């Protein structure tokens, strides 16, 4: 693992990141990441989840490493490897697509059909200092294959709750795929989502990584689930979902 200087954290930050732990063993840490927290990097001058992992620094000066990322505004399950062998194992497992990710999202209306597969290539673009992804045709230079499955869990006059399963891991994949079928996610300003849902404000992207199934370094598979955050639950209830 990379040797980096520890980040100085406040007692409040340490307490917060420890409170987000939803699974812990000798190899892996899993967190229920709140919306608004960057996984890594980012231009916002605030601590990222990657920085906050210094709260788990071991006596040898090393600390856990994130295995994957979530968009800043997406909440839910994200895992970190506690040791170098675990990081190597999980990194290879993710490249081999052995991770099964399940998300939930709020849409202004149910998709038609209510369940299906979106097999639309995507391409990443830099516009100014921002990165975007757009749906393109397969013959577009730079196009990358992308596959998402979705199913409607419940729907009302006010909106719909859908479950999403990305078979590939492109940047903003689920957001762009749902927008490409005319169903952008509530609060997703970047890709055309409305800022209101069921008559209430949707001030952020309503996308939550609810479950992750992954192969464990010591054998077998582990399933980690993250409960829906309060703002998501409130909008879901407002729509009668």
């Amino acid at each position: 693992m990379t040797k980096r200087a520890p980040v100085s954290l406040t007692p409040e930050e340490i307490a917060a990141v420890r409170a987000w732990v939803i699974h812990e063993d000798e190899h892996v840490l899993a967190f229920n990441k709140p919306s608004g927290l960057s996984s890594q990097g980012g231009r916002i001058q605030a601590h990222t989840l990657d920085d906050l992992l210094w709260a788990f620094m071991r006596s040898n000066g090393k600390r856990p490493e994130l295995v994957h990322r979530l968009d800043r505004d997406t909440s839910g399950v994200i895992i970190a490897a506690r040791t170098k062998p675990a990081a190597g194992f999980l990194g290879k497992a993710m490249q081999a697509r052995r991770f099964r990710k399940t998300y939930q999202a709020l849409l202004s209306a149910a998709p038609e059909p209510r369940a299906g597969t979106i097999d639309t290539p995507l391409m990443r673009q830099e516009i100014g200092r921002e990165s975007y992804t757009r749906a393109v045709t397969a013959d577009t230079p730079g196009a990358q294959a992308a596959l998402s499955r979705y199913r409607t869990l419940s729907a009302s006059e006010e909106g719909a709750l859908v479950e999403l399963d990305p078979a590939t891991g492109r940047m903003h994949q689920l957001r762009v795929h749902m927008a490409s079928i005319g169903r952008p996610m509530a609060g997703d300003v970047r890709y055309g989502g409305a800022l209101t849902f069921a008559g209430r404000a949707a001030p952020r992207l309503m996308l939550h990584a609810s479950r992750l199934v992954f192969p464990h370094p010591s054998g077998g598979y582990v399933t980690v689930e993250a409960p829906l955050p309060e703002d998501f639950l409130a909008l879901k209830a407002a729509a009668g979902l």
Side-chain angles (χ1 to χ4, degrees):
M1 290 188 188
T2 338
K3 184 76 175 172
R4 281 185 281 178
V7 171
S8 179
L9 303 176
T10 66
E12 292 76 18
E13 286 174 320
I14 293 168
V17 72
R18 289 189 180 278
W20 300 333
V21 174
I22 48 177
H23 171 87
E24 185 172 9
D25 61 47
E26 60 185 314
H27 300 288
V28 179
L29 275 169
F31 302 90
N32 185 1
K33 184 188 85 65
S35 173
L37 174 71
S38 292
S39 298
Q40 288 176 309
R43 301 195 318 275
I44 295 171
Q45 295 305 304
H47 283 155
T48 62
L49 178 58
D50 197 44
D51 295 330
L52 296 176
L53 292 180
W54 285 108
F56 302 92
M57 183 172 70
R58 302 196 304 281
S59 55
N60 62 4
K62 293 183 178 176
R63 49 129 211 178
E65 294 280 347
L66 287 176
V67 175
H68 59 120
R69 298 176 67 155
L70 286 178
D71 293 346
R72 186 169 70 91
D73 289 331
T74 303
S75 53
V77 181
I78 185 167
I79 65 170
R82 297 191 95 146
T83 64
K84 191 172 183 179
F89 174 87
L90 291 165
K92 285 176 186 162
M94 197 169 69
Q95 285 178 339
R97 296 187 183 168
R98 294 175 67 203
F99 278 46
R100 174 74 189 270
K101 302 172 182 176
T102 305
Y103 292 76
Q104 290 188 29
L106 293 174
L107 313 179
S108 56
E112 292 297 338
R114 293 244 174 154
T117 299
I118 304 170
D119 185 5
T120 303
L122 300 175
M123 188 173 79
R124 185 167 171 162
Q125 286 185 304
E126 306 297 323
I127 301 174
R129 295 173 67 187
E130 297 288 341
S131 297
Y132 291 80
T133 297
R134 65 186 180 100
V136 293
T137 53
D139 58 359
T140 306
Q144 293 182 304
L147 183 73
S148 304
R149 299 178 190 89
Y150 70 88
R151 67 186 182 105
T152 304
L153 298 179
S154 60
S156 70
E157 292 294 314
E158 300 281 0
L161 173 68
V162 296
E163 184 178 87
L164 301 153
D165 167 18
T168 49
R170 309 300 178 201
M171 185 185 84
H172 302 168
Q173 174 178 318
L174 296 175
R175 298 163 63 181
V176 176
H177 268 173
M178 294 314 290
S180 76
I181 62 166
R183 294 294 185 269
M185 296 173 189
D188 192 3
V189 187
R190 180 171 293 203
Y191 297 112
L195 280 175
T196 57
F197 182 82
R200 297 190 179 195
R204 60 105 171 168
L205 169 69
M206 287 297 148
L207 178 63
H208 179 73
S210 54
R211 185 168 64 247
L212 179 64
V213 182
F214 62 94
H216 195 271
S218 58
Y221 277 76
V222 170
T223 300
V224 179
E225 299 198 27
L228 291 166
E230 286 179 16
D231 57 352
F232 195 113
L233 286 169
L235 289 186
K236 178 173 168 278
L241 301 170

